[in-house]
C-alpha cells in the first residue's frame, strides 16, 4: 500500500513538472538548465531582458546572451506572451519536447548541422552567431598544469578531451586535433565533472571574460588556458517547434526581430561585449587553418 501511494505521488510530481501550460494559459513554459538560469537571473539583477543594452559585466555568458537576444527579437517581432521557466538538467530532453510540441523553442542556440537534422519538426531561425564567429576556450582543472602549458597543436598529442557526437560541430572540431584520446560523454554536466576530477584533460566552453574565464559550479572549478582559443566553423540558430500552438507565430516574430537587431549591429555588439567573440589581438586561434 505504501509503495502504491509513493508511486502515485511520484507520478503526480512528474506530471506537474512536465505540465507546459499550467493554470496560466497566457504564459509559455521554457525548460532550462539550472546554472544557465541562475546566471541569467543574476546578470539581469531585476531588469527585464528588453532593457539590456550593455552585455558586459558579471555572470554574462554565451547562453545568457542567447536568452536575452531571443526575447528581444521575439518582442521586436510582436510576440508578447510571457515565459515561465522550469529549471533542470534538460540538455537532450529539450529535443523531444520540441518535437512533441510541448516546448515552444530552445533559448540555447544550436549548431546549423544539428538543427537541420530536426527540420521536419522545427523551424530554424536565421543565424544568431554566424559562421566564423564562434570561438571556444580550452577549459581544464586549475590543477592540470599540462593543459595550461599548451602552446601549439603538437602539444595536444599528450592530452585527452571530452565531448559528444550529438554536438556534431564540437565533435568534429576536437576530432581534428592530434589528441591522445577523445572521450564521449553525452551530458554536459558529466563532461564538466570528468574534467574537474582530471579523468579527462579538457573540454571546450565559451569564453567568460567577466568571470576571468573561470567556470564555477558548487564544488567544481574550471579555468581556460590563457590567450588560446579554438575556432568552430558553423553557425548557430534558434529552433522553434512546428507542433507547438504558438510555433509559427514565434518563428515569424523571431525572424523579424533578428533581422532588425542584425541591421543595427546589436547582435554582434552583444556577443563582443560579453567577450564571446574575442579580440583576436589578444588570443591565438590554435587550430586556425594555414
Amino acid at each position: 500500500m505504501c509503495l502504491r501511494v509513493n508511486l502515485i505521488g511520484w507520478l503526480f510530481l512528474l506530471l506537474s513538472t512536465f505540465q507546459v501550460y499550467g493554470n496560466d494559459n497566457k504564459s509559455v513554459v521554457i525548460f532550462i538548465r539550472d546554472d544557465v538560469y541562475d546566471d541569467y537571473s543574476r546578470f539581469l539583477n531585476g531588469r527585464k531582458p528588453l532593457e539590456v543594452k550593455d552585455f558586459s559585466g558579471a555572470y554574462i555568458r554565451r547562453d545568457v546572451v542567447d536568452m536575452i537576444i531571443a526575447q528581444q527579437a521575439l518582442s521586436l517581432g510582436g510576440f508578447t506572451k510571457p515565459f515561465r521557466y522550469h529549471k533542470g538538467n534538460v540538455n537532450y530532453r529539450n529535443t523531444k519536447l520540441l518535437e512533441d510540441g510541448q516546448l515552444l523553442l530552445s533559448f540555447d542556440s544550436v549548431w546549423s548541422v544539428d538543427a537541420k537534422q530536426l527540420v521536419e519538426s522545427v523551424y530554424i531561425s536565421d543565424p544568431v552567431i554566424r559562421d566564423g564567429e564562434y570561438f571556444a576556450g580550452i577549459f581544464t582543472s586549475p590543477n592540470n598544469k599540462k593543459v595550461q602549458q599548451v602552446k601549439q597543436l603538437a602539444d595536444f598529442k599528450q592530452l585527452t578531451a571530452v565531448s559528444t557526437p550529438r554536438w556534431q560541430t564540437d565533435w568534429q572540431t576536437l576530432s581534428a586535433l592530434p589528441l591522445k584520446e577523445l572521450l564521449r560523454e553525452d551530458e554536459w554536466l558529466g563532461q564538466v565533472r570528468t574534467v574537474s576530477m582530471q579523468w579527462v584533460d579538457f573540454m571546450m566552453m565559451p569564453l567568460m571574460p567577466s568571470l576571468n574565464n573561470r567556470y564555477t559550479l558548487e564544488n567544481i572549478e574550471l579555468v581556460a588556458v590563457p590567450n588560446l582559443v579554438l575556432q568552430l566553423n558553423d553557425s548557430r540558430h534558434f529552433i522553434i517547434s512546428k507542433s507547438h500552438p504558438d510555433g509559427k507565430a514565434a518563428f515569424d516574430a523571431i525572424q523579424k526581430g533578428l533581422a532588425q537587431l542584425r541591421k543595427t549591429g546589436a547582435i554582434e555588439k552583444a556577443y563582443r561585449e560579453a567577450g564571446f567573440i574575442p579580440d583576436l589581438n589578444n588570443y591565438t586561434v590554435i587550430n586556425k587553418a594555414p
Side-chain angles (χ1 to χ4, degrees), residues 66-208:
D66 280 1
M67 284 187 69
I68 295 171
I69 290 294
Q71 290 175 82
Q72 290 183 350
L74 285 165
S75 180
L76 283 171
F79 189 89
T80 58
K81 284 193 175 183
F83 296 103
R84 288 186 292 120
Y85 297 101
H86 284 189
K87 300 195 298 180
N89 185 14
V90 293
N91 269 9
Y92 299 112
R93 191 177 75 194
N94 269 5
T95 299
K96 180 62 175 172
L97 293 173
L98 282 163
E99 290 176 326
D100 291 346
Q102 296 184 66
L103 178 63
L104 174 60
L105 79 164
S106 173
F107 275 156
D108 188 2
S109 61
V110 301
W111 292 117
S112 172
V113 67
D114 297 325
K116 288 175 181 176
Q117 292 191 338
L118 302 171
V119 70
E120 292 186 3
S121 303
V122 302
Y123 301 106
I124 303 172
S125 79
D126 290 336
V128 62
I129 300 172
R130 295 171 295 194
D131 194 354
E133 290 182 332
Y134 197 109
F135 298 89
I138 301 165
F139 279 77
T140 187
S141 163
N143 301 316
N144 193 323
K145 305 304 179 187
K146 184 170 57 174
V147 178
Q148 295 179 52
Q149 292 170 359
V150 167
K151 302 295 182 187
Q152 55 190 350
L153 271 178
D155 296 334
F156 285 100
K157 292 180 179 179
Q158 57 181 335
L159 302 180
T160 57
V162 62
S163 186
T164 171
R166 291 181 174 180
W167 304 333
Q168 293 187 60
T169 303
D170 299 62
W171 190 259
Q172 290 168 4
T173 301
L174 289 171
S175 296
L177 299 177
L179 295 171
K180 180 179 179 180
E181 187 177 5
L182 175 57
L183 293 93
R184 174 174 182 164
E185 166 55 58
D186 288 339
E187 291 294 334
W188 186 83
L189 286 175
Q191 296 175 17
V192 171
R193 291 190 181 102
T194 59
V195 175
S196 174
M197 299 177 75
Q198 297 190 67
W199 295 347
V200 180
D201 287 316
F202 76 92
M203 64 183 292
M204 293 190 301
M205 290 174 61
L207 296 171
M208 306 173 189

Side-chain angles (χ1 to χ4, degrees), residues 264-288:
T264 62
I267 297 177
E268 183 176 345
K269 174 179 175 289
Y271 288 103
R272 285 197 181 278
E273 286 179 347
F276 174 73
I277 301 177
D279 181 351
L280 295 182
N281 291 319
N282 301 323
Y283 288 89
T284 298
V285 183
I286 199 166
N287 64 335
K288 187 174 183 179

